[in-house]
Amino acid sequence: MISIAESDGKTLVSLFMNRIYHWFYEAENPQRATRVSADFASQRQATFRDRFLAKLKQLAESQP
């Protein structure tokens, strides 16, 4: 869930994510293994820090 609000003339973006992994096999859950990997974490960080949030902020603050 993403919410956007104005606060003191600035844009406040809130991102909430919740994942639940149900895995009933003895082998490791491949989806969970991917999501907890360092490579995946750095890719997600780059996406949200460098591109997604910056563009979202720009769109939210642009004049109609």
Side-chain angles (χ1 to χ4, degrees):
M1 177 176 66
I2 299 173
S3 63
I4 302 171
E6 185 176 341
S7 177
D8 296 325
K10 296 183 179 180
T11 303
L12 175 64
V13 177
S14 176
L15 173 65
F16 175 78
M17 296 170 39
N18 185 19
R19 287 185 173 76
I20 299 173
Y21 298 97
H22 295 286
W23 190 254
F24 304 103
Y25 306 101
E26 290 183 26
E28 183 178 27
N29 181 332
Q31 183 182 27
R32 186 172 194 280
T34 297
R35 297 231 179 238
V36 299
S37 72
D39 288 341
F40 185 80
S42 64
Q43 180 246 353
R44 299 303 293 165
Q45 183 180 27
T47 297
F48 284 99
R49 182 191 64 227
D50 300 333
R51 293 183 295 263
F52 176 75
L53 291 180
K55 182 162 180 147
L56 183 61
K57 181 179 187 298
Q58 179 185 25
L59 289 170
E61 293 179 347
S62 67
Q63 298 298 322

Tab-separated table of all heavy atoms in Angstrom:
chain	number	residue	atom	x	y	z
A	1	MET	N	0.842	-1.158	0.000
A	1	MET	CA	0.000	0.000	0.000
A	1	MET	C	0.896	1.232	0.000
A	1	MET	O	1.858	1.300	0.756
A	1	MET	CB	-0.910	-0.007	1.232
A	1	MET	CG	-1.764	1.225	1.336
A	1	MET	SD	-2.929	1.217	2.721
A	1	MET	CE	-1.829	1.251	4.104
A	2	ILE	N	0.588	2.178	-0.821
A	2	ILE	CA	1.315	3.437	-0.896
A	2	ILE	C	0.328	4.555	-0.631
A	2	ILE	O	-0.751	4.592	-1.221
A	2	ILE	CB	1.966	3.649	-2.273
A	2	ILE	CG1	2.981	2.535	-2.559
A	2	ILE	CG2	2.634	5.011	-2.350
A	2	ILE	CD1	3.548	2.580	-3.952
A	3	SER	N	0.696	5.448	0.277
A	3	SER	CA	-0.131	6.622	0.508
A	3	SER	C	0.731	7.870	0.353
A	3	SER	O	1.929	7.854	0.618
A	3	SER	CB	-0.785	6.582	1.886
A	3	SER	OG	0.198	6.617	2.901
A	4	ILE	N	0.105	8.940	-0.099
A	4	ILE	CA	0.783	10.212	-0.319
A	4	ILE	C	-0.026	11.289	0.387
A	4	ILE	O	-1.248	11.343	0.256
A	4	ILE	CB	0.875	10.534	-1.826
A	4	ILE	CG1	1.599	9.422	-2.569
A	4	ILE	CG2	1.561	11.868	-2.047
A	4	ILE	CD1	1.553	9.556	-4.062
A	5	ALA	N	0.671	12.145	1.141
A	5	ALA	CA	0.006	13.234	1.845
A	5	ALA	C	0.920	14.450	1.866
A	5	ALA	O	2.144	14.325	1.791
A	5	ALA	CB	-0.340	12.811	3.267
A	6	GLU	N	0.314	15.612	1.984
A	6	GLU	CA	1.092	16.838	2.100
A	6	GLU	C	1.285	17.157	3.568
A	6	GLU	O	0.369	17.033	4.380
A	6	GLU	CB	0.374	17.991	1.412
A	6	GLU	CG	1.199	19.261	1.398
A	6	GLU	CD	0.537	20.385	0.645
A	6	GLU	OE1	-0.369	20.118	-0.159
A	6	GLU	OE2	0.932	21.531	0.875
A	7	SER	N	2.499	17.564	3.929
A	7	SER	CA	2.816	17.929	5.309
A	7	SER	C	3.805	19.085	5.282
A	7	SER	O	4.921	18.935	4.783
A	7	SER	CB	3.416	16.729	6.052
A	7	SER	OG	3.796	17.097	7.363
A	8	ASP	N	3.399	20.238	5.792
A	8	ASP	CA	4.256	21.429	5.823
A	8	ASP	C	4.810	21.778	4.445
A	8	ASP	O	5.985	22.081	4.289
A	8	ASP	CB	5.401	21.255	6.825
A	8	ASP	CG	4.920	21.121	8.256
A	8	ASP	OD1	3.909	21.783	8.594
A	8	ASP	OD2	5.545	20.379	9.026
A	9	GLY	N	3.978	21.677	3.427
A	9	GLY	CA	4.399	22.026	2.081
A	9	GLY	C	5.265	20.984	1.392
A	9	GLY	O	5.788	21.216	0.311
A	10	LYS	N	5.435	19.840	2.000
A	10	LYS	CA	6.232	18.766	1.410
A	10	LYS	C	5.355	17.541	1.205
A	10	LYS	O	4.309	17.404	1.817
A	10	LYS	CB	7.420	18.419	2.306
A	10	LYS	CG	8.399	19.558	2.461
A	10	LYS	CD	9.569	19.143	3.284
A	10	LYS	CE	10.561	20.291	3.413
A	10	LYS	NZ	11.712	19.914	4.205
A	11	THR	N	5.821	16.658	0.357
A	11	THR	CA	5.086	15.427	0.089
A	11	THR	C	5.618	14.305	0.961
A	11	THR	O	6.812	14.039	0.972
A	11	THR	CB	5.228	15.028	-1.390
A	11	THR	OG1	4.756	16.105	-2.202
A	11	THR	CG2	4.426	13.782	-1.703
A	12	LEU	N	4.725	13.669	1.701
A	12	LEU	CA	5.071	12.535	2.548
A	12	LEU	C	4.561	11.269	1.868
A	12	LEU	O	3.373	11.140	1.594
A	12	LEU	CB	4.431	12.684	3.929
A	12	LEU	CG	4.605	11.528	4.900
A	12	LEU	CD1	6.082	11.344	5.257
A	12	LEU	CD2	3.783	11.751	6.142
A	13	VAL	N	5.470	10.356	1.559
A	13	VAL	CA	5.105	9.101	0.914
A	13	VAL	C	5.314	7.977	1.919
A	13	VAL	O	6.378	7.851	2.520
A	13	VAL	CB	5.973	8.839	-0.337
A	13	VAL	CG1	5.624	7.487	-0.960
A	13	VAL	CG2	5.801	9.956	-1.346
A	14	SER	N	4.291	7.168	2.101
A	14	SER	CA	4.365	6.036	3.003
A	14	SER	C	4.172	4.760	2.197
A	14	SER	O	3.236	4.639	1.411
A	14	SER	CB	3.268	6.148	4.070
A	14	SER	OG	3.266	5.015	4.890
A	15	LEU	N	5.085	3.816	2.399
A	15	LEU	CA	5.027	2.542	1.691
A	15	LEU	C	4.951	1.427	2.722
A	15	LEU	O	5.829	1.309	3.578
A	15	LEU	CB	6.264	2.373	0.808
A	15	LEU	CG	6.443	1.035	0.119
A	15	LEU	CD1	5.321	0.801	-0.888
A	15	LEU	CD2	7.788	0.979	-0.565
A	16	PHE	N	3.899	0.625	2.656
A	16	PHE	CA	3.722	-0.478	3.597
A	16	PHE	C	3.601	-1.769	2.807
A	16	PHE	O	2.800	-1.865	1.886
A	16	PHE	CB	2.453	-0.274	4.441
A	16	PHE	CG	2.169	-1.436	5.334
A	16	PHE	CD1	2.870	-1.617	6.504
A	16	PHE	CD2	1.211	-2.366	4.983
A	16	PHE	CE1	2.613	-2.700	7.323
A	16	PHE	CE2	0.943	-3.453	5.792
A	16	PHE	CZ	1.649	-3.619	6.968
A	17	MET	N	4.443	-2.733	3.171
A	17	MET	CA	4.396	-4.033	2.505
A	17	MET	C	4.442	-5.124	3.567
A	17	MET	O	5.172	-5.015	4.549
A	17	MET	CB	5.570	-4.174	1.542
A	17	MET	CG	5.511	-3.165	0.428
A	17	MET	SD	6.961	-3.029	-0.628
A	17	MET	CE	7.533	-4.641	-0.854
A	18	ASN	N	3.681	-6.171	3.348
A	18	ASN	CA	3.648	-7.290	4.271
A	18	ASN	C	3.613	-8.580	3.460
A	18	ASN	O	2.757	-8.743	2.598
A	18	ASN	CB	2.411	-7.198	5.170
A	18	ASN	CG	2.399	-8.279	6.219
A	18	ASN	OD1	3.411	-8.885	6.522
A	18	ASN	ND2	1.242	-8.516	6.795
A	19	ARG	N	4.550	-9.454	3.737
A	19	ARG	CA	4.591	-10.734	3.030
A	19	ARG	C	4.485	-11.880	4.033
A	19	ARG	O	5.148	-11.857	5.060
A	19	ARG	CB	5.886	-10.873	2.248
A	19	ARG	CG	5.919	-10.007	1.031
A	19	ARG	CD	7.175	-10.297	0.231
A	19	ARG	NE	7.182	-9.603	-1.028
A	19	ARG	CZ	7.430	-8.322	-1.176
A	19	ARG	NH1	7.678	-7.583	-0.143
A	19	ARG	NH2	7.427	-7.768	-2.360
A	20	ILE	N	3.684	-12.836	3.694
A	20	ILE	CA	3.561	-14.046	4.501
A	20	ILE	C	3.932	-15.219	3.606
A	20	ILE	O	3.394	-15.365	2.505
A	20	ILE	CB	2.124	-14.218	5.039
A	20	ILE	CG1	1.756	-13.023	5.923
A	20	ILE	CG2	1.998	-15.530	5.796
A	20	ILE	CD1	0.315	-13.017	6.360
A	21	TYR	N	4.862	-16.030	4.068
A	21	TYR	CA	5.332	-17.165	3.279
A	21	TYR	C	4.822	-18.464	3.896
A	21	TYR	O	5.193	-18.811	5.001
A	21	TYR	CB	6.864	-17.191	3.242
A	21	TYR	CG	7.463	-15.971	2.588
A	21	TYR	CD1	7.914	-14.896	3.332
A	21	TYR	CD2	7.575	-15.898	1.204
A	21	TYR	CE1	8.455	-13.777	2.720
A	21	TYR	CE2	8.111	-14.786	0.586
A	21	TYR	CZ	8.551	-13.732	1.358
A	21	TYR	OH	9.080	-12.632	0.752
A	22	HIS	N	3.959	-19.148	3.173
A	22	HIS	CA	3.496	-20.467	3.587
A	22	HIS	C	4.211	-21.487	2.709
A	22	HIS	O	4.092	-21.453	1.486
A	22	HIS	CB	1.983	-20.600	3.404
A	22	HIS	CG	1.193	-19.697	4.279
A	22	HIS	ND1	1.047	-19.917	5.624
A	22	HIS	CD2	0.522	-18.556	4.003
A	22	HIS	CE1	0.315	-18.968	6.150
A	22	HIS	NE2	-0.012	-18.122	5.190
A	23	TRP	N	4.960	-22.352	3.316
A	23	TRP	CA	5.716	-23.345	2.564
A	23	TRP	C	5.647	-24.648	3.338
A	23	TRP	O	6.064	-24.710	4.485
A	23	TRP	CB	7.164	-22.884	2.396
A	23	TRP	CG	7.965	-23.724	1.448
A	23	TRP	CD1	8.925	-24.627	1.777
A	23	TRP	CD2	7.885	-23.744	0.027
A	23	TRP	NE1	9.450	-25.202	0.662
A	23	TRP	CE2	8.820	-24.674	-0.440
A	23	TRP	CE3	7.100	-23.075	-0.898
A	23	TRP	CZ2	9.003	-24.937	-1.789
A	23	TRP	CZ3	7.284	-23.344	-2.238
A	23	TRP	CH2	8.229	-24.260	-2.665
A	24	PHE	N	5.124	-25.683	2.726
A	24	PHE	CA	4.849	-26.927	3.422
A	24	PHE	C	5.770	-28.071	3.008
A	24	PHE	O	5.463	-29.219	3.237
A	24	PHE	CB	3.386	-27.323	3.213
A	24	PHE	CG	2.435	-26.243	3.640
A	24	PHE	CD1	1.806	-25.430	2.703
A	24	PHE	CD2	2.190	-26.004	4.989
A	24	PHE	CE1	0.942	-24.423	3.097
A	24	PHE	CE2	1.315	-24.996	5.387
A	24	PHE	CZ	0.699	-24.208	4.443
A	25	TYR	N	6.902	-27.715	2.418
A	25	TYR	CA	7.830	-28.732	1.941
A	25	TYR	C	9.121	-28.668	2.746
A	25	TYR	O	9.426	-27.665	3.389
A	25	TYR	CB	8.126	-28.528	0.451
A	25	TYR	CG	6.870	-28.470	-0.380
A	25	TYR	CD1	6.355	-27.255	-0.813
A	25	TYR	CD2	6.173	-29.620	-0.707
A	25	TYR	CE1	5.192	-27.188	-1.559
A	25	TYR	CE2	5.015	-29.565	-1.456
A	25	TYR	CZ	4.521	-28.350	-1.879
A	25	TYR	OH	3.370	-28.296	-2.613
A	26	GLU	N	9.907	-29.712	2.709
A	26	GLU	CA	11.170	-29.736	3.447
A	26	GLU	C	12.220	-28.821	2.819
A	26	GLU	O	13.040	-28.255	3.530
A	26	GLU	CB	11.707	-31.166	3.526
A	26	GLU	CG	10.882	-32.054	4.436
A	26	GLU	CD	11.480	-33.434	4.563
A	26	GLU	OE1	12.697	-33.575	4.383
A	26	GLU	OE2	10.730	-34.374	4.833
A	27	ALA	N	12.193	-28.684	1.514
A	27	ALA	CA	13.167	-27.825	0.827
A	27	ALA	C	12.892	-26.360	1.155
A	27	ALA	O	11.787	-25.980	1.525
A	27	ALA	CB	13.083	-28.041	-0.680
A	28	GLU	N	13.920	-25.550	0.995
A	28	GLU	CA	13.779	-24.121	1.258
A	28	GLU	C	12.807	-23.485	0.266
A	28	GLU	O	12.771	-23.843	-0.903
A	28	GLU	CB	15.149	-23.451	1.133
A	28	GLU	CG	15.132	-21.971	1.455
A	28	GLU	CD	16.514	-21.347	1.380
A	28	GLU	OE1	17.360	-21.859	0.632
A	28	GLU	OE2	16.727	-20.357	2.065
A	29	ASN	N	12.016	-22.537	0.731
A	29	ASN	CA	11.079	-21.811	-0.110
A	29	ASN	C	11.884	-20.914	-1.054
A	29	ASN	O	12.545	-19.982	-0.612
A	29	ASN	CB	10.163	-20.964	0.771
A	29	ASN	CG	9.137	-20.188	-0.014
A	29	ASN	OD1	9.353	-19.840	-1.170
A	29	ASN	ND2	8.020	-19.888	0.629
A	30	PRO	N	11.848	-21.157	-2.362
A	30	PRO	CA	12.672	-20.377	-3.288
A	30	PRO	C	12.277	-18.898	-3.349
A	30	PRO	O	13.123	-18.036	-3.513
A	30	PRO	CB	12.475	-21.067	-4.632
A	30	PRO	CG	11.231	-21.872	-4.483
A	30	PRO	CD	11.096	-22.208	-3.045
A	31	GLN	N	11.005	-18.599	-3.195
A	31	GLN	CA	10.578	-17.194	-3.226
A	31	GLN	C	11.123	-16.446	-2.004
A	31	GLN	O	11.644	-15.343	-2.123
A	31	GLN	CB	9.060	-17.089	-3.262
A	31	GLN	CG	8.581	-15.648	-3.364
A	31	GLN	CD	7.070	-15.539	-3.341
A	31	GLN	OE1	6.386	-16.392	-2.775
A	31	GLN	NE2	6.553	-14.491	-3.939
A	32	ARG	N	11.047	-17.067	-0.851
A	32	ARG	CA	11.564	-16.421	0.364
A	32	ARG	C	13.080	-16.283	0.291
A	32	ARG	O	13.633	-15.260	0.680
A	32	ARG	CB	11.168	-17.212	1.608
A	32	ARG	CG	11.557	-16.501	2.889
A	32	ARG	CD	10.962	-17.223	4.105
A	32	ARG	NE	11.048	-16.403	5.273
A	32	ARG	CZ	12.145	-16.245	6.007
A	32	ARG	NH1	13.246	-16.857	5.665
A	32	ARG	NH2	12.131	-15.487	7.076
A	33	ALA	N	13.749	-17.293	-0.211
A	33	ALA	CA	15.207	-17.238	-0.342
A	33	ALA	C	15.627	-16.062	-1.228
A	33	ALA	O	16.593	-15.355	-0.927
A	33	ALA	CB	15.732	-18.549	-0.899
A	34	THR	N	14.888	-15.847	-2.308
A	34	THR	CA	15.188	-14.722	-3.194
A	34	THR	C	14.962	-13.401	-2.477
A	34	THR	O	15.793	-12.495	-2.517
A	34	THR	CB	14.303	-14.773	-4.455
A	34	THR	OG1	14.610	-15.967	-5.168
A	34	THR	CG2	14.518	-13.568	-5.345
A	35	ARG	N	13.849	-13.274	-1.783
A	35	ARG	CA	13.489	-12.006	-1.141
A	35	ARG	C	14.416	-11.627	0.013
A	35	ARG	O	14.526	-10.449	0.328
A	35	ARG	CB	12.056	-12.061	-0.649
A	35	ARG	CG	11.075	-12.222	-1.779
A	35	ARG	CD	10.007	-11.199	-1.695
A	35	ARG	NE	9.079	-11.348	-2.785
A	35	ARG	CZ	8.816	-10.399	-3.652
A	35	ARG	NH1	9.419	-9.261	-3.564
A	35	ARG	NH2	7.954	-10.595	-4.608
A	36	VAL	N	15.055	-12.587	0.645
A	36	VAL	CA	15.961	-12.254	1.754
A	36	VAL	C	17.417	-12.157	1.303
A	36	VAL	O	18.288	-11.872	2.120
A	36	VAL	CB	15.832	-13.256	2.934
A	36	VAL	CG1	14.432	-13.245	3.504
A	36	VAL	CG2	16.223	-14.653	2.522
A	37	SER	N	17.678	-12.352	0.026
A	37	SER	CA	19.053	-12.293	-0.461
A	37	SER	C	19.564	-10.852	-0.502
A	37	SER	O	18.799	-9.892	-0.663
A	37	SER	CB	19.166	-12.918	-1.849
A	37	SER	OG	18.563	-12.076	-2.816
A	38	ALA	N	20.867	-10.681	-0.382
A	38	ALA	CA	21.491	-9.354	-0.422
A	38	ALA	C	21.312	-8.709	-1.802
A	38	ALA	O	21.097	-7.494	-1.903
A	38	ALA	CB	22.967	-9.457	-0.066
A	39	ASP	N	21.386	-9.510	-2.858
A	39	ASP	CA	21.206	-8.974	-4.214
A	39	ASP	C	19.812	-8.376	-4.397
A	39	ASP	O	19.649	-7.294	-4.956
A	39	ASP	CB	21.436	-10.052	-5.270
A	39	ASP	CG	22.884	-10.433	-5.427
A	39	ASP	OD1	23.762	-9.646	-5.003
A	39	ASP	OD2	23.147	-11.523	-5.980
A	40	PHE	N	18.809	-9.084	-3.922
A	40	PHE	CA	17.436	-8.609	-4.044
A	40	PHE	C	17.251	-7.336	-3.215
A	40	PHE	O	16.631	-6.366	-3.672
A	40	PHE	CB	16.440	-9.679	-3.592
A	40	PHE	CG	15.006	-9.293	-3.808
A	40	PHE	CD1	14.421	-9.420	-5.055
A	40	PHE	CD2	14.245	-8.814	-2.764
A	40	PHE	CE1	13.097	-9.069	-5.258
A	40	PHE	CE2	12.926	-8.453	-2.962
A	40	PHE	CZ	12.349	-8.582	-4.210
A	41	ALA	N	17.807	-7.313	-2.022
A	41	ALA	CA	17.690	-6.138	-1.152
A	41	ALA	C	18.323	-4.908	-1.795
A	41	ALA	O	17.743	-3.815	-1.774
A	41	ALA	CB	18.326	-6.411	0.199
A	42	SER	N	19.489	-5.051	-2.387
A	42	SER	CA	20.148	-3.900	-3.009
A	42	SER	C	19.382	-3.436	-4.252
A	42	SER	O	19.271	-2.233	-4.513
A	42	SER	CB	21.601	-4.203	-3.352
A	42	SER	OG	21.698	-5.209	-4.321
A	43	GLN	N	18.803	-4.374	-4.999
A	43	GLN	CA	18.014	-4.008	-6.167
A	43	GLN	C	16.761	-3.242	-5.751
A	43	GLN	O	16.420	-2.220	-6.350
A	43	GLN	CB	17.633	-5.265	-6.955
A	43	GLN	CG	16.821	-4.984	-8.187
A	43	GLN	CD	15.402	-5.525	-8.126
A	43	GLN	OE1	15.029	-6.241	-7.212
A	43	GLN	NE2	14.606	-5.171	-9.089
A	44	ARG	N	16.086	-3.697	-4.723
A	44	ARG	CA	14.879	-3.017	-4.242
A	44	ARG	C	15.222	-1.640	-3.682
A	44	ARG	O	14.500	-0.676	-3.893
A	44	ARG	CB	14.159	-3.852	-3.173
A	44	ARG	CG	13.680	-5.213	-3.666
A	44	ARG	CD	12.770	-5.129	-4.852
A	44	ARG	NE	11.518	-4.497	-4.488
A	44	ARG	CZ	10.634	-4.018	-5.364
A	44	ARG	NH1	10.861	-4.102	-6.637
A	44	ARG	NH2	9.532	-3.463	-4.964
A	45	GLN	N	16.329	-1.554	-2.966
A	45	GLN	CA	16.747	-0.274	-2.409
A	45	GLN	C	17.005	0.732	-3.530
A	45	GLN	O	16.568	1.882	-3.468
A	45	GLN	CB	17.995	-0.443	-1.551
A	45	GLN	CG	18.435	0.836	-0.878
A	45	GLN	CD	19.668	0.639	-0.044
A	45	GLN	OE1	20.485	-0.240	-0.309
A	45	GLN	NE2	19.816	1.443	0.971
A	46	ALA	N	17.688	0.306	-4.568
A	46	ALA	CA	17.967	1.186	-5.704
A	46	ALA	C	16.669	1.613	-6.390
A	46	ALA	O	16.508	2.769	-6.766
A	46	ALA	CB	18.891	0.502	-6.690
A	47	THR	N	15.750	0.688	-6.548
A	47	THR	CA	14.483	0.998	-7.202
A	47	THR	C	13.728	2.070	-6.439
A	47	THR	O	13.259	3.047	-7.019
A	47	THR	CB	13.602	-0.265	-7.316
A	47	THR	OG1	14.267	-1.205	-8.150
A	47	THR	CG2	12.233	0.058	-7.894
A	48	PHE	N	13.602	1.907	-5.131
A	48	PHE	CA	12.797	2.841	-4.360
A	48	PHE	C	13.543	4.118	-4.014
A	48	PHE	O	12.962	5.192	-3.991
A	48	PHE	CB	12.254	2.164	-3.099
A	48	PHE	CG	11.117	1.238	-3.423
A	48	PHE	CD1	11.328	-0.115	-3.533
A	48	PHE	CD2	9.861	1.732	-3.652
A	48	PHE	CE1	10.286	-0.973	-3.865
A	48	PHE	CE2	8.812	0.890	-3.980
A	48	PHE	CZ	9.023	-0.462	-4.085
A	49	ARG	N	14.812	4.052	-3.755
A	49	ARG	CA	15.571	5.243	-3.378
A	49	ARG	C	15.876	6.101	-4.602
A	49	ARG	O	15.709	7.315	-4.567
A	49	ARG	CB	16.866	4.853	-2.687
A	49	ARG	CG	17.688	6.071	-2.225
A	49	ARG	CD	19.073	5.684	-1.783
A	49	ARG	NE	19.792	5.129	-2.943
A	49	ARG	CZ	20.497	4.010	-2.903
A	49	ARG	NH1	20.587	3.319	-1.808
A	49	ARG	NH2	21.116	3.563	-3.980
A	50	ASP	N	16.329	5.493	-5.664
A	50	ASP	CA	16.869	6.246	-6.785
A	50	ASP	C	15.865	6.548	-7.887
A	50	ASP	O	16.050	7.493	-8.633
A	50	ASP	CB	18.057	5.501	-7.402
A	50	ASP	CG	19.180	5.297	-6.402
A	50	ASP	OD1	19.297	6.107	-5.474
A	50	ASP	OD2	19.921	4.324	-6.559
A	51	ARG	N	14.831	5.749	-8.018
A	51	ARG	CA	13.954	5.950	-9.166
A	51	ARG	C	12.498	6.131	-8.758
A	51	ARG	O	11.914	7.177	-8.992
A	51	ARG	CB	14.089	4.776	-10.129
A	51	ARG	CG	15.447	4.705	-10.794
A	51	ARG	CD	15.511	3.563	-11.786
A	51	ARG	NE	15.389	2.255	-11.161
A	51	ARG	CZ	16.419	1.486	-10.833
A	51	ARG	NH1	17.632	1.896	-11.054
A	51	ARG	NH2	16.227	0.314	-10.283
A	52	PHE	N	11.925	5.153	-8.153
A	52	PHE	CA	10.484	5.146	-7.916
A	52	PHE	C	10.027	6.309	-7.045
A	52	PHE	O	9.136	7.070	-7.428
A	52	PHE	CB	10.065	3.814	-7.289
A	52	PHE	CG	8.606	3.761	-6.915
A	52	PHE	CD1	7.638	3.609	-7.895
A	52	PHE	CD2	8.212	3.885	-5.600
A	52	PHE	CE1	6.300	3.570	-7.561
A	52	PHE	CE2	6.875	3.850	-5.260
A	52	PHE	CZ	5.920	3.690	-6.249
A	53	LEU	N	10.616	6.466	-5.867
A	53	LEU	CA	10.150	7.516	-4.970
A	53	LEU	C	10.447	8.907	-5.508
A	53	LEU	O	9.643	9.820	-5.340
A	53	LEU	CB	10.749	7.331	-3.573
A	53	LEU	CG	10.231	6.107	-2.810
A	53	LEU	CD1	10.885	6.016	-1.448
A	53	LEU	CD2	8.719	6.141	-2.677
A	54	ALA	N	11.582	9.071	-6.179
A	54	ALA	CA	11.901	10.375	-6.760
A	54	ALA	C	10.881	10.746	-7.830
A	54	ALA	O	10.389	11.887	-7.879
A	54	ALA	CB	13.305	10.352	-7.336
A	55	LYS	N	10.531	9.797	-8.683
A	55	LYS	CA	9.549	10.072	-9.731
A	55	LYS	C	8.164	10.287	-9.126
A	55	LYS	O	7.429	11.180	-9.549
A	55	LYS	CB	9.496	8.931	-10.736
A	55	LYS	CG	8.532	9.211	-11.855
A	55	LYS	CD	8.775	8.350	-13.050
A	55	LYS	CE	7.749	8.736	-14.086
A	55	LYS	NZ	8.160	8.647	-15.413
A	56	LEU	N	7.808	9.497	-8.128
A	56	LEU	CA	6.509	9.667	-7.467
A	56	LEU	C	6.418	11.042	-6.821
A	56	LEU	O	5.398	11.720	-6.936
A	56	LEU	CB	6.321	8.565	-6.417
A	56	LEU	CG	4.981	8.564	-5.688
A	56	LEU	CD1	3.839	8.371	-6.678
A	56	LEU	CD2	4.967	7.456	-4.650
A	57	LYS	N	7.474	11.475	-6.179
A	57	LYS	CA	7.509	12.798	-5.552
A	57	LYS	C	7.349	13.880	-6.621
A	57	LYS	O	6.575	14.823	-6.443
A	57	LYS	CB	8.817	12.991	-4.799
A	57	LYS	CG	8.955	14.321	-4.088
A	57	LYS	CD	10.295	14.394	-3.361
A	57	LYS	CE	10.440	15.615	-2.504
A	57	LYS	NZ	10.390	16.868	-3.196
A	58	GLN	N	8.057	13.750	-7.723
A	58	GLN	CA	7.974	14.722	-8.798
A	58	GLN	C	6.544	14.802	-9.346
A	58	GLN	O	6.006	15.893	-9.553
A	58	GLN	CB	8.942	14.348	-9.906
A	58	GLN	CG	8.916	15.289	-11.084
A	58	GLN	CD	9.812	14.806	-12.214
A	58	GLN	OE1	10.085	13.617	-12.341
A	58	GLN	NE2	10.274	15.725	-13.024
A	59	LEU	N	5.915	13.675	-9.551
A	59	LEU	CA	4.546	13.654	-10.063
A	59	LEU	C	3.569	14.257	-9.056
A	59	LEU	O	2.662	15.002	-9.421
A	59	LEU	CB	4.124	12.225	-10.415
A	59	LEU	CG	4.776	11.614	-11.641
A	59	LEU	CD1	4.460	10.132	-11.729
A	59	LEU	CD2	4.338	12.337	-12.900
A	60	ALA	N	3.756	13.939	-7.790
A	60	ALA	CA	2.839	14.427	-6.761
A	60	ALA	C	2.954	15.935	-6.568
A	60	ALA	O	1.963	16.607	-6.288
A	60	ALA	CB	3.132	13.710	-5.444
A	61	GLU	N	4.147	16.475	-6.749
A	61	GLU	CA	4.355	17.894	-6.513
A	61	GLU	C	4.227	18.764	-7.761
A	61	GLU	O	4.260	19.970	-7.677
A	61	GLU	CB	5.735	18.117	-5.874
A	61	GLU	CG	5.826	17.536	-4.482
A	61	GLU	CD	7.180	17.715	-3.840
A	61	GLU	OE1	8.150	18.064	-4.539
A	61	GLU	OE2	7.263	17.509	-2.631
A	62	SER	N	4.055	18.149	-8.917
A	62	SER	CA	3.928	18.929	-10.154
A	62	SER	C	2.599	19.681	-10.171
A	62	SER	O	1.598	19.235	-9.634
A	62	SER	CB	4.063	18.039	-11.384
A	62	SER	OG	2.965	17.147	-11.454
A	63	GLN	N	2.646	20.815	-10.817
A	63	GLN	CA	1.437	21.636	-10.927
A	63	GLN	C	0.586	21.112	-12.072
A	63	GLN	O	1.104	20.785	-13.132
A	63	GLN	CB	1.815	23.094	-11.185
A	63	GLN	CG	2.622	23.714	-10.062
A	63	GLN	CD	1.865	23.758	-8.758
A	63	GLN	OE1	0.654	24.003	-8.753
A	63	GLN	NE2	2.535	23.502	-7.650
A	64	PRO	N	-0.727	21.046	-11.887
A	64	PRO	CA	-1.619	20.559	-12.959
A	64	PRO	C	-1.678	21.494	-14.141
A	64	PRO	O	-1.410	22.624	-14.092
A	64	PRO	CB	-2.975	20.423	-12.285
A	64	PRO	CG	-2.893	21.120	-10.982
A	64	PRO	CD	-1.439	21.384	-10.687
